[in-house]
Amino acid sequence: MTMTNNIPQRSTVLNIPARAARAGTLAGAAIALVGTFLSWTYTDEFPGDLTVTGYPGGLQLLTLTGALLTLVFALSALGVPGLRWLTPGGPLGAIRFLALATLGTTAYTVAAIAVTLDGLIALDPGAWISLVGSLIAVLAALGLPADSPLIADDPPTTWYRFRHSLRGPTPQPPTRPLPAWAEIVTIAVSLGLTLYVFTYGIDTEYSELFIGFLILVVLGAFGLARAGLLHRLTHLTGKHRNVTVAAAFIAAICFPFTQDNDTYALIGTNILIFATVALGLNIVVGLAGLLDLGYVAFLGVGAYTAALLSGSPQSSIGVHFPFWLAALTGAAVSLVFGIIIGAPTLRLRGDYLAIVTLGFGEIFRLTMNNLNGNSGPDVTGGSRGIPNIPDLELAGFKFGLPHDIAGFTLGRSGNYFLLMLVFTAIILLVFHRSGQSRIGRAWVAIREDETAASAMGINGFRLKLLAFGLGATLAGLAGTVQAHVSYSVTPEQYKFAGSAPPNSAFLIAAVILGGMGTISGPLIGAALLYLIPAKLQFMQDYQLLIFGFALIILMRLRPEGIVPDRRKKLEFHEKDQLDQPEERLPEHATGVTKAGA
């Protein structure tokens, strides 16, 4: 006796006929798209001027983008020639996430207009049309048949079907490999689009636009991941690693040339500083497994060393080293501090080590605050710090002045961005070579089980001290550039926690959220954690609260990080299989019946 008669052949969240669901998704996305070409409000008091008919602007462009992507992926699900390559992992999850992104952006815009102006009465028909269209698209997408039929003895719950439909099948590498030149072009185009999206986010002129951009990008990224495009891109970048690295640096070099506003270029420079420091911490936390809660102090050591040696009128030393010598000195002093702190403390493990490193971070901040001439020798200027740090000059190139290069004007922040990009390349090379060496494998062994590593002959203390010292050196190197970018250094810049990075709490969060033990993970995590507070200054009093909620949600949905290490991904998701209802094949497919069993 077989069970095929009672087995559902498709899994949907809403009980909608498949044909109606497909038509509703296409119609809803099209209606939302049409609404963006109509006026959304009667006054231009709302940022972005949404009063123009026939020419979308501001937040309307985000809704238009989400609706257009939803349409394209829905057509791909219908098998339209030329679009099937967009969904190697199945279109269902992509369509639903993109429809949610469109609805989220549109609903946020409607709410922002109502709050900013005179309530819902301030909305013109275009806003209602896009809102209704995006809602129809979401509801219809929830009725689409699953990419892979969910088969079980008992009908699954609606919540489980919703989770399963969003996850979709596991994407696989392309079965038909592209020519090598086409793969390289795909990588270059993808990195160019990434640069464009990143630049658009930094260049947003008002907070409402940035929040809408954030909603669209986050949900859209989930959609692209469910479609399998990110998995396919990862496969290509791993295959052409050298080409990917070169293309990434070329895209990064292009960034300052796209910025007309030096303020936005400064955000990019600070993101690079924060990201490189997070990458140095990744050696300590991600590779060696040492929880360092005072790591930002090493950034301060390098910054203070450069400030004292770079010719500032307020420097108590009164010397002026060339920058390359000041940078090496800052890195060396940070290394010394790392060894001094690590030698007596790295025999501790776990929480005890974390408490000691937290104490070191606070001791550094308080010491810099007390070396003011009253509580101690006048070395660091106390709470006022060391101001008036002069701009750099290397080989006649003055970093404080704008320069015209190939018809583009490169401002002060752009100059420092390119300098910091060189430092980032150095730190990336050190991290990569260290992680792939015998020492790197020993660090991973210590991270996984220090007792077992010691039993295999690994000198845990010496290797942990090496990781601690190397991480401190890289942080000090980045600190020497930070001192010149910010013009001054003060003790309050190097706290454990605060409303904005850099601080130790945000650095650790950048490593964990981005992906411990990976190269690109901390860079992405640091970019997000710096960019979001920098663009949402009006929410400064609530940033830590919002950050806490976001951290909880991300750790629940993706505990291995945005760019997971393969070991961490298996570790976190191997147990999740126990939480899911068992999925079985129909008995006629296996040739086994209940009677036969």
Side-chain angles (χ1 to χ4, degrees):
M1 176 178 179
T2 63
M3 301 171 55
T4 56
N5 294 333
N6 297 323
I7 294 175
Q9 296 302 310
R10 63 188 181 93
S11 171
T12 61
V13 179
L14 298 181
N15 190 18
I16 303 174
R19 182 174 299 178
R22 295 188 183 99
T25 303
L26 290 170
I31 292 172
L33 189 148
V34 170
T36 60
F37 288 89
L38 303 176
S39 173
W40 281 25
T41 182
Y42 64 88
T43 175
D44 59 0
E45 293 181 6
F46 187 82
D49 192 9
L50 307 183
T51 63
V52 181
T53 299
Y55 189 80
L59 285 158
Q60 290 173 318
L61 287 175
L62 300 180
T63 297
L64 186 149
T65 302
L68 186 60
L69 289 175
T70 306
L71 272 175
V72 170
F73 278 85
L75 292 174
S76 174
L78 294 176
V80 175
L83 295 179
R84 296 179 182 178
W85 62 271
L86 287 174
T87 54
L92 180 66
I95 295 172
R96 290 180 177 174
F97 268 112
L98 290 171
L100 284 173
T102 307
L103 176 61
T105 305
T106 307
Y108 165 75
T109 306
V110 168
I113 293 174
V115 171
T116 304
L117 302 178
D118 303 324
L120 296 178
I121 196 174
L123 296 170
D124 277 355
W128 293 112
I129 291 173
S130 291
L131 181 62
V132 171
S134 58
L135 181 60
I136 292 174
V138 170
L139 295 176
L142 294 178
L144 289 173
D147 301 325
S148 298
L150 177 64
I151 300 174
D153 291 343
D154 300 321
T157 63
T158 300
W159 169 242
Y160 175 72
R161 284 185 292 182
F162 179 69
R163 287 196 306 158
H164 178 270
S165 66
L166 288 184
R167 289 177 179 177
T170 302
Q172 300 295 329
T175 55
R176 294 182 180 180
L178 298 171
W181 65 267
E183 293 178 343
I184 293 174
V185 170
T186 301
I187 293 172
V189 171
S190 301
L191 290 174
L193 290 175
T194 302
L195 173 64
Y196 175 79
V197 172
F198 179 73
T199 303
Y200 184 91
I202 286 185
D203 291 348
T204 50
E205 298 179 351
Y206 46 95
S207 57
E208 292 86 355
L209 181 60
F210 181 76
I211 295 176
F213 164 81
L214 208 58
I215 294 172
L216 180 64
V217 168
V218 171
L219 293 176
F222 276 106
L224 295 180
R226 298 306 181 214
L229 286 178
L230 296 186
H231 186 274
R232 174 171 288 185
L233 181 61
T234 302
H235 177 74
L236 293 180
T237 54
K239 183 178 179 181
H240 303 281
R241 189 177 301 274
N242 294 334
V243 173
T244 302
V245 172
F249 272 99
I250 291 174
I253 291 172
C254 293
F255 167 75
F257 295 98
T258 65
Q259 300 301 304
D260 296 329
N261 191 329
D262 206 49
T263 302
Y264 298 150
L266 180 61
I267 294 177
T269 304
N270 286 322
I271 286 176
L272 267 187
I273 295 173
F274 186 37
T276 52
V277 177
L279 194 61
L281 178 61
N282 198 24
I283 293 178
V284 181
V285 176
L287 294 182
L290 307 174
L291 184 55
D292 188 352
L293 298 181
Y295 186 77
V296 75
F298 297 119
L299 176 69
V301 170
Y304 266 99
T305 302
L308 290 171
L309 300 178
S310 296
S312 169
Q314 278 71 37
S315 172
S316 59
I317 297 180
V319 298
H320 190 181
F321 283 6
F323 173 69
W324 64 269
L325 183 56
L328 292 177
T329 305
V333 173
S334 297
L335 172 62
V336 171
F337 269 87
I339 294 176
I340 292 176
I341 299 302
T345 62
L346 287 178
R347 299 187 187 278
L348 302 173
R349 297 186 186 182
D351 298 339
Y352 301 101
L353 177 62
I355 293 172
V356 171
T357 55
L358 175 61
F360 163 66
E362 290 301 298
I363 288 172
F364 169 78
R365 184 178 63 83
L366 294 175
T367 301
M368 296 299 102
N369 199 40
N370 290 333
L371 296 180
N372 55 8
N374 295 322
S375 303
D378 186 9
V379 179
T380 63
S383 59
R384 71 178 184 275
I386 304 176
N388 300 321
I389 300 174
D391 282 311
L392 294 176
E393 182 176 351
L394 291 176
F397 187 89
K398 297 182 179 181
F399 283 77
L401 300 177
H403 299 274
D404 292 329
I405 301 176
F408 296 91
T409 300
L410 198 64
R412 176 183 183 272
S413 299
N415 297 332
Y416 280 107
F417 181 91
L418 295 180
L419 175 64
M420 197 61 219
L421 195 60
V422 175
F423 279 72
T424 303
I426 295 173
I427 294 175
L428 284 173
L429 179 62
V430 171
F431 181 89
H432 176 70
R433 297 301 295 270
S434 299
Q436 298 297 322
S437 66
R438 293 176 58 188
I439 294 176
R441 293 192 291 272
W443 282 337
V444 173
I446 293 173
R447 182 191 69 193
E448 297 301 321
D449 192 330
E450 186 173 351
T451 302
S454 299
M456 297 301 294
I458 295 176
N459 190 329
F461 171 75
R462 185 176 63 184
L463 287 172
K464 289 194 295 184
L465 185 61
L466 179 60
F468 210 73
L470 180 58
T473 303
L474 299 181
L477 194 63
T480 59
V481 180
Q482 188 214 23
H484 291 86
V485 172
S486 60
Y487 284 122
S488 64
V489 291
T490 60
E492 294 303 312
Q493 295 176 348
Y494 309 104
K495 298 189 296 184
F496 167 72
S499 59
N503 55 64
S504 293
F506 272 81
L507 286 170
I508 294 173
V511 174
I512 296 176
L513 296 181
M516 292 191 299
T518 63
I519 292 180
S520 56
L523 298 178
I524 296 175
L528 292 175
L529 290 180
Y530 191 94
L531 179 61
I532 294 174
K535 301 299 292 187
L536 300 179
Q537 292 291 336
F538 74 99
M539 300 177 64
Q540 186 172 3
D541 295 337
Y542 305 98
Q543 282 179 1
L544 289 179
L545 177 63
I546 297 172
F547 171 70
F549 279 119
L551 186 64
I552 293 172
I553 293 173
L554 188 56
M555 287 296 98
R556 176 63 183 88
L557 298 177
R558 199 173 179 85
E560 72 274 18
I562 298 174
V563 183
D565 177 70
R566 184 178 303 174
R567 184 190 300 271
K568 288 292 181 183
K569 187 174 183 179
L570 293 175
E571 176 184 338
F572 280 110
H573 288 286
E574 184 178 17
K575 298 179 181 178
D576 290 346
Q577 304 301 322
L578 301 177
D579 299 333
Q580 299 182 10
E582 184 180 1
E583 300 177 12
R584 295 189 293 276
L585 291 174
E587 293 175 358
H588 69 82
T590 60
V592 179
T593 64
K594 281 189 174 181

